Amino acid sequence: MSTIDKIKELKKERNAVILAHYYVNDEVQAIADYVGDSFYLSKIAAKAEADTILFCGVSFMGESAKILNPAKTVLMPDMQADCPMAHMADFNKIEEMRNQYTDLAVVCYINSTAELKTHSDVCVTSSNALKIVKALPNQHIYFIPDENLGRYVASQVPDKHFIFNDGYCHVHTSISAEHVKKAKEDHPGAEILVHPECTMGVLAFADYIGSTSGIIDYATASKTNEFIICTELGVLYELKVKNPDKHFYAAGHQQFCPNMKRITLEKVAEALEQMTNTIEMEEDMRIRAKKPLERMLELG
Ligand code: 13P
Ligand code: SF4
């Protein structure tokens, strides 16, 4: 029996739904029930009715699914698939900022550990950060953990005061302004589509800035037929499915998330078969981490 057939059979047996992020391997995206950006996937996870949610992505995605839908078994194909940026903020610094500014909102990118979320007021993703920060009554925003997304949001919301944290995504920061300049020289007719985890120097070249879904939707709707892609290259799978006649070029040379790429079809089948790679969390932590995630779902 092929691995794909095995997955189909086990999926029925376990009453499972498969969610996948756009950065996982093409063949994994192809067998998923839902593929999307972080915001879309968190909404799907929150209202999933199947007994088991198999999350093809990194730890914080599975954790968020468990936090929002605790009655379900949340399975990860690879427990080592983790986003380094999710750990890049310091609890003591958060408390320090809270003491310094009475009117502070700790805005936490969803790419964060559950524990970090418990110290935050609201979560955001790259597709709803602007809307949510604008809607907050607070004047002072401590944006964690991603400095680049924080700086982008700050540039669009000039009436608020931002404090930044020094977290970053090594995949997106591997793309430099020089790379983009060179790609534009090579493809002068191409539009430049940029994820806001990139540096401000890269964002300055963008024709469009948005989440993975935003980038895919923009390219699909555009009359242009050439694009320079400034995000992880897993998005090329959906871009090419939706736009077989358009051309897509990478800007840099390392647009590859090694953690997302840990997810394989074999690990998907194994997780469903063994049911051992489950996300477990203390109930107290789950309740506290749920608050900022639910606020995101309300405001986003
Ligand atoms: P989005 O899919 O929400 O744009 O997130 C990008 C990302 O880095 C997820 O790890
Ligand atoms: Fe984390 Fe960057 Fe990989 Fe997304 S692409 S999971 S932010 S390391």
Side-chain angles (χ1 to χ4, degrees):
M1 194 193 290
S2 75
T3 312
I4 293 180
D5 288 340
K6 196 169 165 190
I7 292 169
K8 280 185 190 158
E9 207 175 275
L10 285 163
K11 226 177 69 157
K12 270 194 221 137
E13 236 173 76
R14 307 297 191 200
N15 186 20
V17 62
I18 302 183
L19 277 55
H21 188 265
Y22 285 126
Y23 293 163
V24 299
N25 292 307
D26 297 1
E27 61 276 19
V28 177
Q29 292 189 48
I31 55 101
D33 297 300
Y34 299 94
V35 187
D37 69 4
S38 308
F39 187 40
Y40 172 77
L41 292 175
S42 63
K43 286 186 289 187
I44 295 291
K47 58 180 184 21
E49 284 175 0
D51 297 328
T52 302
I53 300 171
L54 176 73
F55 216 126
C56 300
V58 288
S59 310
F60 75 80
M61 297 180 167
E63 280 184 355
S64 297
K66 187 70 186 175
I67 292 165
L68 291 166
N69 205 343
K72 309 298 175 189
T73 301
V74 179
L75 280 178
M76 303 300 287
D78 186 322
M79 298 299 270
Q80 308 303 316
D82 193 9
C83 169
M85 194 221 288
H87 303 265
M88 292 182 189
D90 177 46
F91 308 130
N92 295 326
K93 178 84 188 287
I94 296 174
E95 290 322 306
E96 210 180 285
M97 288 303 126
R98 286 200 190 279
N99 291 335
Q100 204 168 324
Y101 299 96
T102 43
D103 173 39
L104 185 79
V106 179
V107 177
C108 186
Y109 192 22
I110 198 165
N111 296 35
S112 49
T113 60
E115 195 175 7
L116 207 47
K117 289 182 176 76
T118 66
H119 292 262
S120 308
D121 297 307
V122 64
C123 286
V124 296
T125 73
S126 57
S127 66
N128 61 30
L130 278 180
K131 187 178 176 191
I132 291 176
V133 169
K134 281 181 187 168
L136 291 174
N138 313 68
Q139 184 59 26
H140 302 287
I141 307 292
Y142 183 32
F143 198 99
I144 58 167
D146 189 18
E147 175 170 358
N148 291 311
L149 179 60
R151 289 197 183 273
Y152 168 63
V153 174
S155 73
Q156 303 299 305
V157 190
D159 51 316
K160 297 205 181 207
H161 168 241
F162 284 74
I163 305 131
F164 303 109
N165 175 67
D166 57 5
Y168 63 94
C169 163
H170 67 100
V171 180
H172 289 87
T173 54
S174 74
I175 306 166
S176 69
E178 288 68 34
H179 287 140
V180 184
K181 200 164 162 266
K182 170 79 173 55
K184 184 71 179 174
E185 279 162 16
D186 293 345
H187 309 285
E191 286 191 291
I192 302 175
L193 315 184
V194 183
H195 194 281
E197 286 177 20
C198 290
T199 63
M200 289 302 273
V202 170
L203 262 56
F205 286 92
D207 293 297
Y208 173 79
I209 299 170
S211 76
T212 50
S213 297
I215 287 173
I216 292 163
D217 292 348
Y218 182 92
T220 305
S222 173
K223 291 197 165 56
T224 308
N225 72 355
E226 283 188 301
F227 303 89
I228 295 163
I229 303 298
C230 301
T231 188
E232 213 273 357
L233 294 181
V235 295
L236 291 178
Y237 176 70
E238 187 71 12
L239 280 169
K240 286 176 183 165
V241 167
K242 290 199 162 132
N243 305 281
D245 299 325
K246 294 188 180 181
H247 303 282
F248 302 99
Y249 312 108
H253 310 291
Q254 290 162 276
Q255 292 167 243
F256 176 87
C257 177
N259 282 290
M260 290 284 191
K261 289 338 192 219
R262 293 180 75 100
I263 315 302
T264 61
L265 285 180
E266 288 69 28
K267 288 180 189 171
V268 169
E270 202 179 302
L272 284 171
E273 191 165 38
Q274 299 184 356
M275 298 289 284
T276 46
N277 282 355
T278 55
I279 298 275
E280 306 297 339
M281 199 177 298
E282 293 282 329
E283 185 60 4
D284 174 56
M285 161 134 29
R286 190 189 71 77
I287 302 281
R288 287 187 296 130
K290 193 173 157 213
K291 271 192 200 153
L293 275 172
E294 279 191 334
R295 198 155 177 221
M296 173 186 84
L297 295 178
E298 278 161 32
L299 294 174

